Amino acid sequence: MAWKFTEKKSAAGVTSKHRSRLRFRPVTVTRDEVIPIQQSPSEPVLDGVREVGESGGGSPAALVRADSATDVSAAEDFLRAFHDAHPKAGSLTERLADVRRSIAETGTYRHTGPELAYGARVALRDSGWCTSGVPWRQLKVRDLRGLRNASAIASECFEHLRLATNAGRIQPMVTVFAPDAPGNPGPRIWNEQVVRYAGYAMPNGVLGDARYSGFTAEVQRMGWKPPNQRSRFDHLPLVVETAHEGIKLVTVPRDVVQEVPLEHPDHPWFVELGLRWHTVPLISNMQLEIGGIRYPAAPFNTWFVGTEIGTRGLADENAYGVTKHVAERLGMDTSTERTLWRDRAIVEINRAVLFSFDSARVTITDHHSEALHRLAWLRSGPRTSASRPMFSVSKEASQRARRGAPSDLPSPEPKRRPRYDELARLNRRCLGTEPFGE
């Protein structure tokens, strides 16, 4: 079957100090594809934006640490690495002098367009959040550092979804909004991904995605109105927080979300379960760090690994929990764990995901191919230093994306894990076995 869009309705809504020089393996220089900066005066206003009252408003000082002056050594490390990879970029000595002067005078500095694009690409390559088959040098970087208003940020997130969907041939992309600066914090996006499904607490369980039942209850308290007829796949609003506006809820337009109805290659009854999933994993609550500068809102996407949908989304009892129902429809004995009915049912759920995305001609990869890519990547050579560009997420941001949180909750720099633990976590993520909340 061919993929289809959901029905169209109107929108209602590194800086760890490390003084050794960054060392990158030589890379092929590619042209940086950067969309020109858009300034705040041209920011659009969205329909469906809901402002939260003063109780939900944020304090600017709470969004960024007081000691937020840029680390000079991290800036220097990054700039040396950038000039190593781009020998025609100009004088490194002059650039370092300009940056040191800017940090001394203002506490921060501004990346050039090529520096931003290079940093974002390296971050996606090295941070473990990039599906390994992605040609990272061709990652499209949208430079929107001039945008700070919530409605404009939400609008560009939706435009990112449109562009990345690309008729099913998913386009890896990152959109970078305003950075943190001393006394001037950048915007935050609460949602874990721009498209997430609501989870409604019911007397007999949760209707929808149980992972987001707390978040769903919080945005309802903040003023979000669910559809009159609730379903298992209602889209949550996008929650954007800025220092000058506080928190705003923005309805995700249905016409920007491509979804694939799930069916099974061997079991016609599977389609009767009414399962589906969105096609673009647009991660939105991670911060991008490049050369000592933190971009708290830099949503990015690659494409799904099948187990992220099948195992972590649909099968997990903490999410949709459809495993037992599928096992029973398959005629399995679920009275004892010794029959391994869970394992067998999860395999069939993942088969359905891959088959449906392939039938719809939507880009996806399987966890075995991903594991082989990851192993090849690990064997390719030593990774870069601790001050490399990276995407990361704090514990507070993860909790906010699942349960909602007071707007005054800061998002400090996450603690770096030991290398062995990082590799183990990446492997669990790749295979779809990462524990809830990790």
Side-chain angles (χ1 to χ4, degrees), residues 9 59 88 97 111 163 186 204 374 379 393 405:
K9 296 183 179 179
S59 168
K88 297 182 180 180
H111 289 128
L163 296 172
N204 58 343
R374 183 63 58 188
R379 292 167 179 161
V393 62

Side-chain angles (χ1 to χ4, degrees), residues 94-117:
E94 292 180 4
R95 179 60 175 149
L96 288 174
D98 290 341
V99 168
R100 293 188 190 109
R101 186 182 310 109
S102 178
I103 294 175
E105 294 174 354
T106 68
T108 188
Y109 69 103
R110 182 180 176 83
H111 289 128
T112 65
E115 289 169 357
L116 180 72

Side-chain angles (χ1 to χ4, degrees), residues 14-26:
V14 243
T15 57
S16 172
K17 289 192 175 182
H18 185 89
R19 297 192 178 276
S20 63
R21 183 173 176 176
L22 279 173
R23 296 187 182 277
F24 289 86
R25 290 180 297 137

Side-chain angles (χ1 to χ4, degrees), residues 63-124:
L63 290 175
V64 65
R65 300 192 307 275
D67 59 341
S68 57
T70 299
D71 180 8
V72 176
S73 64
E76 292 176 348
D77 284 346
F78 168 72
L79 291 171
R80 291 190 180 100
F82 172 77
H83 280 261
D84 282 348
H86 301 79
K88 297 182 180 180
S91 171
L92 172 60
T93 301
E94 292 180 4
R95 179 60 175 149
L96 288 174
D98 290 341
V99 168
R100 293 188 190 109
R101 186 182 310 109
S102 178
I103 294 175
E105 294 174 354
T106 68
T108 188
Y109 69 103
R110 182 180 176 83
H111 289 128
T112 65
E115 289 169 357
L116 180 72
Y118 173 74
R121 289 167 179 157
V122 170
L124 201 58

Side-chain angles (χ1 to χ4, degrees), residues 181-198:
N184 191 22
R188 265 71 171 164
I189 299 173
W190 283 28
N191 308 60
E192 188 175 61
Q193 293 186 25
V194 171
V195 181
R196 294 278 80 174
Y197 296 117

Side-chain angles (χ1 to χ4, degrees), residues 363-396:
T363 309
I364 195 170
T365 187
D366 63 89
H367 58 289
H368 293 294
S369 299
E370 178 64 12
L372 292 175
H373 279 303
R374 183 63 58 188
L375 287 172
W377 176 77
L378 292 172
R379 292 167 179 161
S380 64
R383 302 276 71 81
T384 55
S385 78
S387 59
R388 70 188 186 275
M390 66 182 299
F391 283 98
S392 60
V393 62
S394 67
K395 181 178 179 180
E396 289 79 5

Side-chain angles (χ1 to χ4, degrees), residues 140-252:
K140 291 188 179 298
V141 180
R142 306 176 70 228
D143 181 359
L144 299 178
R145 289 174 287 174
L147 300 186
R148 286 184 175 270
N149 289 348
S151 61
I153 291 166
S155 177
E156 290 300 336
C157 285
F158 304 150
E159 180 63 15
H160 183 138
L161 267 181
R162 291 188 184 96
L163 296 172
T165 299
N166 193 30
R169 299 187 300 276
I170 306 303
Q171 169 65 60
M173 186 177 297
V174 58
T175 297
V176 184
F177 296 111
D180 282 339
N184 191 22
R188 265 71 171 164
I189 299 173
W190 283 28
N191 308 60
E192 188 175 61
Q193 293 186 25
V194 171
V195 181
R196 294 278 80 174
Y197 296 117
Y200 306 106
M202 311 289 281
N204 58 343
V206 176
L207 175 65
D209 196 333
R211 294 174 295 179
Y212 303 103
S213 58
F215 190 91
T216 302
E218 180 66 11
V219 294
Q220 285 183 272
R221 185 192 67 78
M222 293 161 63
W224 178 61
K225 302 297 183 183
N228 293 330
Q229 187 172 356
R230 300 180 183 184
S231 74
R232 292 182 295 169
F233 296 98
D234 294 338
H235 300 153
L236 286 165
L238 193 65
V239 182
V240 182
E241 182 177 6
T242 63
H244 62 289
E245 297 171 303
I247 303 167
K248 289 193 175 183
L249 311 183
V250 186
T251 300
V252 179

